[in-house]
Amino acid sequence: WPVDRKHTYDAEGPQALCDLCLAQVCCSLDALCSVRADGSMSLIWAPLFPQEMADQLLQKMTTKGILNDTTVGIFRNCKELRLRRASIRSSPVSAEAFRLALCPHRLLELDASWVSGGLTGADIISGLASNPECRLSLQRLSLSGLRLDWESLEEDGGVRVGFSSLQGLRMLNVANTDVNDAVLEDICTLPHLETLDISCSAISKLTALLKCNSTLRFLIAHKLQQLDMSPARLLFVFNQLHALRHLDFSDDHFAVDDSDGRVGDETVRQLLEGSPEVLPSLVSLDISGRKRISEAAIGAFVQSRSGLVFLGLLATGVSSCDVLSSKKNLKITGEADENQVCEALRRYRDQECFIREALVHLYNLTTDADKPQPDMLKLVVSAMQSHPTSLHVHLVATACVFNLTTQDLAEAMSVSLLSSTIAQLLYAMKTFPNHHQVQKNCLLALCSDYILQDVPFDKYLAATLVINWLSSHEDPTLQRMAVAVISILVAKVKTLLTHCALASCRKIQLLAIVQQKAMVGVVDSTLKFALSALWNLTDEMPAAARNFIECQGLELYEEVLESYYSEPSIQQKVLGLLNNIAEVEELQADLMEEDLLEHILSLLQDSQVEVGVRYFAGGILAHLSSRAEAWTLEGELRTTILEQLHDSIMTWTQLEREMVSYRSFHPFCPLLQPCQPSGVQLWAVWAIHLVCSQNTSHYSSMLEMEGLTELLKALTAHPDTHSDVKGLSDRILCMVEQYQSHSGAFKSQTEPRNS
C-alpha cells in the first residue's frame, strides 16, 4: 500500500510494517467481508493468522473505534483467528455479540473495561464460564466501569456462576463497578488470585481478603468511600496479607466532606508509624490524596523499608520531604519536581483526580520551558485520551500542550507525536465548543507556522472548527489567531469534496470581520488574515465563490477597493478573490458592473501602483473580456480593456517574491486559445512564466500533466499569435525543457546501473 514517505519516518523511526498492514485491513473490512443474516461480518477468505496477530487485529480495531456488533463477527471464525489476549475496551459490543464472537476462544486475558452496548459483568462471567477451556485458561480479566448485575447470574448445577467459576484467574479489575461485599466474598475464593483492583466501589468490609492472604500480591483499593472498618481492624487485615508487596490505599483529595477519609487517613498514619514487621514484603505503597500525613512519619517509614521501590505521595503535601531526595532508586509520585509529576501522569492514567492534580503542577513547571520535552508531551496527550469527557483534564492539558510546543519547541519533536497531539486538540475543540479557555488554549497551540504547514492532521476538521468558533466569539486577540489559522488551513484543504463542504460553513463571520475593520479604516493582521482566508476559500471553488456573492461580499469588496486605495497588501487580496470569481464562467455576470470594472482598469493603468496589484487587476479583466459572447457592457469598454491589458503588461517588471500560487492551470486554458485577443493571452503567459520561474520543479510538472505545454506550443506555432506572446511562451517552454533535461540527467546519475 502507498505510504506517505515524508511523514512516516521521523525521530521515532518508521512505523512497523505489521501496524501498517493491520491498519489497512481495518480500513478495508467492507471489501474483505461478507455479511451474515444477523448483520455481522465474516471474512470472505482468511489464512491461518499467527495467533499474536489475531490479538493485534482485535486491538487495532478497538483503538481505531471500529469494533462493534457488526465487525466483531469476524472473530467467530475461531480456527483462522485465534484470540488469546483480547481487548474490547470502550467498544459498543452487546452481550449476544460477545457470546458468539469471543466466548468460544481459549482466552488468557480479556479487557472489557468501559464497554458500552449493554454488556454487563454478569454477561461476561456467564459467557466465559460456558466455555470449559476458559474456566481454566483465563488469567487476567478487567471489567472496570461496567455494571456487574450480579443478581442476574444463574445457577449451574445448584451453584451460582460467579468469579469463582473462573478458577485460573490471577488478575481481576472490578474498579468503578457495583461490586459489593458479597461479590468480594466470591472473588476471594479464587485459588490463584494475585492482583485485585476494587477501587471506587461500594465495598464496606475488606475482611474477605483474608481468604486469599497467601496469594494476593497486589491490592489496589483507591477511593473506597463506603469503607466501614476501624483503623485497627483494617491494619489487622493488611497485616494478614502475608504475600502483599504492592498496596494502593490512595484517596480522592477532591472529596467534599473532609471527614470521609478520616478512617483511611488514620489507618495510613498508623501504618507509616508502625513496626516494619507489618507488611514486611511491601515494596510499593500508594497513599496519594491522604491528608494529615506528617513528613516525620514518611521519613521513618522510608528509612525502615530498605526494599521500597515506589511511594505515591501526590496531593499529600509531603512529597518534598528531605529524606526522599537521598533515595535515588525510589520512584515517587508528587509535586516536588518534574520527575515526580511525570511519574504521577504515568501511574495514574485512569484516575482523573490525580491526573488533574499532576497536570496543574506540570503546567506551572513548564510555563517557561526552553527545551523540547517530547516524553512529557506524550504523557499529556495520553491523559487527554484517557479522560475524553473530562473538562477539567482538557482545560489544564491543552494549556500544557501550548507550553510544550510554543515557539521552536515543536520543531524538535517527532511528526507522529505532533500529529497525535493536534488530533487531541481538535477533539477538545469539538467536545467543549463553548468553553472559552479550552478553545483559547487550542488556538494558541495551533497558531504555529510549523504545525500548520508541516505537521499532518485533519486540516478540514480544524478549519471547520475554527470557523464555527468564530461565528459566536468576538474576542479581538482570539479572533486574530483564529483568522490567521483559517487563512493557512483553507489553503491546505485540497480535495473538491471537503472544500465544497467547507464552503457551506459560515464564512459570514469572516466577511463581518472585514466589514468591521473597513468601517473604521483599520489595517491590521486580523483584516489581512480574514482577506487571505476568503481568498483561499474561493480558489477554484465555484460553490464557495457563489456563497461569497450571496453573502453580499461583492458589495463589501467594492467599498474596500476604494477605501484602501493606498494599501497594496489589502488591494492585492481583494483583487485575488475577485479573480477567483472571474474564473467561473457562470459567475462572471455578477462582476459586469461598469463602475467596478472602470476602477479595476484604473488600477491596471496606474504606473504608480505596485505590479502585484496590477497583476490581479489584469487577471480579472482578462477573464471577463475573454468571452465576447458574455460581455454585457459597452463594447468600447472591452476594447479599451484589451488594449490596456497588452500595453500595461509589457511594462511590468519580474517579481522576485512569491506572490501567488495555483492549484492548477485549468483556469488558464480558455485564455490560451489562438482565437483570444493578444492582451488576454499575454496576461495568461505572463502569469505562467511568473510562477514557473519561482518554482520551476512544481509548475513544470503541472504544465506537463495538465496539457499546458501543448497549448503553449500551439500558440507559438499559430501565425496570428502576437510576437510578445510568442516570446514569453518560448521562454516558458525553454524553462520547462531545461528543467526536464537537468532532472533527467540527475536521475540517470543517481539510478543504479545494470551490472
Side-chain angles (χ1 to χ4, degrees), residues 179-191:
V179 63
N180 54 31
D181 294 346
V183 182
L184 184 60
E185 290 280 351
D186 177 69
I187 290 170
C188 291
T189 62
L190 289 165

Side-chain angles (χ1 to χ4, degrees), residues 142-169:
S142 182
L143 305 179
S144 181
L146 295 191
R147 184 171 67 90
L148 290 185
D149 194 22
W150 184 255
E151 300 303 321
S152 71
L153 283 168
E154 299 176 356
E155 293 188 354
D156 180 10
V159 179
R160 179 187 292 275
V161 174
F163 288 105
S164 54
S165 304
L166 305 172
Q167 290 284 291
L169 275 183

Side-chain angles (χ1 to χ4, degrees), residues 292-302 317-324:
R292 294 172 288 275
I293 296 174
S294 70
E295 290 192 4
I298 288 293
F301 181 80
V302 171
V318 296
S319 63
S320 55
C321 178
D322 290 340
V323 72
L324 299 177

Side-chain angles (χ1 to χ4, degrees), residues 63 141 266 421 443 474 486 505 529 535 541 564 596 670 736:
T63 54
L141 176 61
E266 178 59 20
T421 301
L443 280 172
E474 295 184 359
I486 292 169
C505 292
F529 282 133
W535 183 7
M541 289 298 146
Y564 287 89
L596 174 62
V736 172

